[in-house]
């Protein structure tokens, strides 16, 4: 058997002091974002080029050492940390080049280590935008976003990360390199290989560069914060908004009064902009690349209809960019407000958008039956049916009294029975494989294992993630 110390020496020589980190210095890469998973690695490889990524993968394969790709490590399913000691964490953070945007093709080539917020900043003033937005955009990297097929708050309008991906460059498990950096939307010359790596969570290959779709940056926006009686009203209003606003509708988020209260209680600088509280809240945004579209009229017309129908209790249109940012903070700070409250359980559910209120109504007695007094905080994306169904313990309780697994299983069963998913945009990682094996058709799981076996027969690339061999 090869000596791991020999591999560590080889990687140190190959990558230099900036590219190989070991011992106590590797601690920042060891644990997942929730600090629940992660074994000590042999070290952290930080290659600066695709050739170096390929060399690292090849060396680890020859030594029989697992490789765990890691982007910004903001995932919630432990896919970017090692399950067993001695693996090599492969960080793409140094591969952060951003090419010039191509206005004619509406595309841009970027390195896998580019932080999402840095891409947004690089596009400022170009007249173009990359439409993916999420709470972790200050640390999430493009490679990780591709690996998890991230969604975010604008997915219903522009699509998931896989829909925004025109081409990829990938280091395969054997250390070879596939260059699929084609900046075209239409390419039907065989299997859609670029999509194979979107959502694969680093189990089939390591994305090193990508060509991404861009869109015209909006010249105007109109944003409204609304209080509604309940989620059923939110679903009805969302249906009307899609019909009236059409392609101009770019944001459609919902959250509960519990989540709003936690955010207002724990986070400084937040303020409630209305006179009336509701049972549910909707944040809606419309935008256009043309100054000629009467966005305010469109939005005001729907809101007047909603008030006439009793669907909207109170509302406000953002009168400035600062007020718009304040509205969005009330939605985006939901996870942080609940985290500061204490222990929490996160569930990433998706159901058809028209069944959001039904899922929340049916899930509440399930949770109450398992843990009386549990506090339920559903929030998420009204436009695509993604519910972040987060739980806090009953008041005065320090935890969930051992009900965590049962709560997760029953919520996953309900989502599946309603034609939805228990892994909407966070993926499976290491933590949801058992749910997938139990609740997804065996043919589906068999196909996934066959793909893993075909591309990574040695099982050295991110083992134990997405599928078990």
């Amino acid at each position: 058997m090869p000596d791991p110390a020999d591999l560590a020496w080889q990687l140190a020589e190959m990558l230099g002091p900036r590219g190989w980190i070991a011992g106590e210095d590797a601690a920042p890469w060891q644990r997942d974002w929730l600090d629940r998973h992660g074994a000590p690695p042999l070290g952290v490889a930080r290659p600066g080029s695709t050739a170096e990524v390929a060399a690292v993968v090849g060396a680890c394969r020859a030594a029989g050492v697992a490789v765990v790709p890691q982007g910004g490590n903001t995932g919630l399913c432990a896919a970017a940390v090692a399950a067993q000691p001695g693996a090599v964490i492969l960080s793409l953070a140094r591969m952060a080049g951003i090419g010039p945007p191509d206005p004619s093709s509406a595309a841009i080539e970027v390195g896998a280590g580019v932080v999402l917020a840095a891409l947004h900043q690089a596009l400022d003033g170009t007249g173009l935008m990359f439409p993916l937005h999420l709470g972790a955009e200050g640390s999430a990297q493009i490679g990780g976003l591709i690996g998890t097929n991230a969604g975010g708050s604008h997915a219903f309008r522009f699509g998931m990360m896989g829909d925004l991906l025109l081409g990829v460059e990938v280091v395969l498990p054997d250390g070879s390199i596939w260059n699929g950096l084609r900046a075209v939307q239409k390419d039907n010359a065989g299997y859609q290989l670029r999509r194979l790596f979107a959502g694969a969570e680093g189990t089939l290959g390591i994305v090193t560069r990508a060509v991404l779709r861009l869109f015209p940056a909006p010249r105007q926006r109109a944003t409204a914060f609304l209080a509604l009686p309940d989620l059923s009203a939110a679903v009805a209003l969302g249906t009307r908004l899609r019909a009236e606003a059409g392609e101009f509708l770019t944001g459609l988020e919902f959250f509960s009064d519990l989540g709003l209260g936690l955010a207002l209680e724990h986070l400084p600088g937040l303020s409630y902009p209305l006179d009336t509280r509701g049972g549910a809240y909707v944040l809606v945004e419309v935008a256009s690349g043309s100054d000629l579209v009467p966005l305010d009229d469109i939005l005001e017309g729907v809101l007047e209809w909603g008030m006439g129908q009793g669907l909207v209790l109170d509302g406000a249109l953002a009168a400035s960019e600062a007020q718009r940012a304040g509205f969005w903070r009330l939605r985006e700070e939901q996870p942080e407000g609940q985290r500061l409250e204490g222990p929490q359980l996160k569930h990433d559910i998706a159901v058809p958008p028209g069944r959001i209120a039904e899922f929340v109504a049916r899930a509440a007695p399930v949770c109450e039956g398992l843990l009386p007094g549990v506090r339920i905080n559903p929030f998420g994306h009204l436009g695509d049916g993604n519910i972040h169904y987060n739980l806090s313990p009953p008041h005065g309780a320090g935890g969930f009294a051992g009900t965590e697994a049962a709560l997760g299983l029953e919520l996953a069963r309900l989502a599946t029975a309603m034609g939805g998913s228990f892994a909407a945009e966070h993926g499976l990682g290491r933590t949801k494989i058992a749910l997938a094996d139990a609740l997804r058709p065996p043919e589906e799981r068999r196909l996934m294992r066959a793909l893993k076996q075909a591309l990574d027969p040695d099982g050295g690339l991110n083992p134990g993630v997405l599928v078990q061999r």
Side-chain angles (χ1 to χ4, degrees):
M1 288 289 293
D3 187 346
D6 292 339
L7 175 64
W9 178 87
Q10 181 183 356
L11 294 177
E13 287 291 303
M14 179 192 304
L15 300 172
R18 290 187 63 205
W20 178 250
I21 299 171
E24 294 182 359
D25 292 338
W29 290 267
Q30 179 179 324
R31 302 289 290 176
D32 73 315
W33 188 81
L34 297 174
D35 196 24
R36 295 175 181 170
H37 302 272
L42 178 67
V44 178
R46 301 177 69 244
S49 67
T50 299
E52 287 187 350
V53 174
V56 170
V57 171
C60 290
R61 186 187 189 209
V65 171
V67 176
V68 178
Q70 186 177 108
N73 198 19
T74 56
L76 300 178
C77 297
V81 293
Q84 303 295 330
V88 169
I89 301 286
L90 196 152
S91 168
L92 282 299
R94 291 177 63 202
M95 299 180 63
I98 300 176
D102 181 351
S104 299
S105 300
I108 189 169
E109 183 178 314
V110 300
V114 170
V115 173
L116 180 56
L119 176 58
H120 291 157
Q121 184 176 9
L123 291 170
D124 282 349
T126 66
L128 296 167
M129 70 165 184
F130 184 63
L132 185 69
H133 289 273
L134 37 74
E137 62 187 47
S139 50
Q141 296 174 10
I142 295 299
L145 294 169
I146 294 170
T148 56
N149 193 26
S153 55
H154 294 67
F156 80 97
R157 168 67 177 85
F158 298 100
M160 304 278 280
M161 191 70 183
D163 302 306
L164 301 171
L165 191 63
L166 294 175
V168 286
E169 178 186 73
V170 182
V171 173
L172 299 171
D174 63 0
S176 62
I177 301 169
W178 173 53
N179 187 334
L181 290 170
R182 306 181 187 109
V184 292
Q185 186 174 353
K186 294 181 177 179
D187 182 7
N188 281 331
Y191 300 122
Q192 296 294 296
L193 294 180
R194 71 179 186 272
R195 286 186 174 270
L196 186 62
F197 300 97
E201 302 188 57
T203 62
L204 302 180
I206 300 171
V207 174
T208 50
R209 288 189 293 167
V211 179
L212 304 176
R213 295 180 65 188
L214 301 178
F215 293 81
R219 293 185 180 181
Q220 59 162 329
R221 291 188 181 96
T223 308
F225 181 90
L226 311 174
L228 296 89
D230 51 37
L231 273 178
S232 294
V235 170
L237 184 69
T239 302
R240 181 76 174 202
L241 280 163
R242 278 191 288 269
E244 293 290 332
E247 67 273 22
F248 304 117
L249 186 62
T250 57
L252 190 56
E253 301 288 291
F254 76 93
F255 48 96
S256 71
D257 195 54
L258 173 65
L260 174 68
L262 293 177
L264 291 171
E265 178 181 354
H266 292 296
L267 288 153
L270 295 183
S271 60
Y272 184 67
L274 306 178
D275 295 327
T276 305
R277 294 286 282 262
Y281 302 89
V282 167
L283 176 63
V284 56
E285 187 162 276
V286 291
S288 174
S290 169
D291 292 324
L292 302 178
V293 178
L295 294 181
D296 287 342
D297 293 344
I298 293 172
L299 194 51
E300 288 174 0
V302 176
L303 300 189
E304 288 176 5
W305 173 87
M307 289 181 174
Q309 296 292 315
L311 301 177
V312 178
L313 302 175
D314 198 359
L317 288 171
S320 65
E321 181 59 29
Q323 191 173 27
R324 171 185 174 267
F327 288 176
W328 274 101
R329 276 200 71 201
L330 288 172
R331 160 60 183 91
E332 291 170 345
E333 297 286 15
Q334 297 278 312
E336 183 66 5
Q338 192 161 15
R339 184 189 72 83
L340 293 171
E341 176 74 2
Q344 60 174 311
L345 287 180
K346 293 177 174 287
H347 303 97
D348 182 33
I349 302 295
V351 295
R355 305 188 74 179
I356 290 175
E358 179 189 350
F359 175 86
V360 172
R362 292 173 62 178
V366 171
C367 295
E368 181 69 21
L370 290 168
L371 184 61
V374 65
R375 290 176 287 165
I376 301 170
N377 180 26
F379 62 92
H381 315 301
L382 187 62
D384 58 35
N386 183 188
I387 308 166
H388 299 298
Y389 195 88
N390 292 0
L391 306 177
S392 291
H395 283 292
F400 293 89
T403 62
E404 293 90 341
L407 286 164
L409 177 59
E410 292 307 316
L411 290 169
R413 280 177 172 162
L414 178 58
T416 301
M418 294 179 63
S421 174
F422 50 84
E425 62 179 0
H426 296 165
L428 296 180
R430 304 183 188 281
T431 62
K432 294 185 179 180
I433 292 177
L435 288 177
D437 287 345
L439 298 176
R440 283 294 171 93
E443 296 82 6
E444 183 174 319
R445 301 298 289 155
R446 187 169 64 246
L447 281 170
M448 292 185 185
R449 291 188 179 92
L451 282 169
K452 174 67 172 175
Q453 179 64 29
L455 271 71
D456 186 18
D458 297 332
L461 194 56
N462 222 5
V465 167
L466 206 146
V467 292
Q468 296 282 10
R469 299 190 53 171

